[in-house]
Amino acid sequence: MKISTSGETSERSPAETAWFALLGIAFVLAGLGLFYGLAVDSMQMISVALITIFVLFAVSMGILIRSEPIRSRENAVIAICVFVAMALYLGLSVFTALPFAVLVGVLFVVGVIVPGLVLQYGVTNAE
């Protein structure tokens, strides 16, 4: 069955579309859990929400790599850096007693700054 949105067609079945919708809802619920954890200052709730987001991100990347033609250097660098940043954050928060600000700093540097620097100053295929 072809699904049409804004002039584009998709070969996804209604079941696949439903799974993608459930994945989106799971991301929203994980985000709400993260917001709630921050609002009540519960590190346990924040950790659970981040682990959930980490797992959902891994599932999403698996789906994208398998089904979408988006394999580019930029997408790979960003995906790897975000995945490593989340893993570092979760590992450091569980196995060390670092302050929250340091953990968020590591998350930001590895997940945002490093991919930007690699994409801006890294070796490209054109060089």
Side-chain angles (χ1 to χ4, degrees):
M1 172 181 186
K2 290 188 178 183
I3 299 172
S4 178
T5 355
S6 346
E8 298 176 9
T9 59
S10 173
E11 295 293 330
R12 292 191 180 119
S13 70
E16 287 175 319
T17 304
W19 280 112
F20 288 140
L22 286 175
L23 184 63
I25 291 169
F27 267 113
V28 169
L29 291 175
L32 289 174
L34 182 61
F35 175 75
Y36 178 75
L38 289 170
V40 298
D41 198 27
S42 169
M43 195 59 192
Q44 210 171 19
M45 184 66 167
I46 292 170
S47 295
V48 168
L50 287 175
I51 290 170
T52 304
I53 292 169
F54 183 70
V55 169
L56 290 172
F57 177 73
V59 169
S60 297
M61 291 310 298
I63 291 170
L64 281 174
I65 288 170
R66 220 184 47 178
S67 65
E68 299 292 332
I70 61 162
R71 294 184 187 128
S72 69
R73 178 180 177 268
E74 292 84 9
N75 290 335
V77 168
I78 292 168
I80 289 168
C81 287
V82 169
F83 197 75
V84 168
M86 293 280 297
L88 269 174
Y89 177 84
L90 293 172
L92 290 173
S93 68
V94 170
F95 297 114
T96 67
L98 292 172
F100 182 69
V102 173
L103 295 174
V104 171
V106 168
L107 185 67
F108 182 76
V109 167
V110 176
V112 177
I113 303 295
V114 170
L117 291 174
V118 167
L119 293 174
Q120 187 170 1
Y121 300 110
V123 178
T124 62
N125 293 336
E127 293 178 356

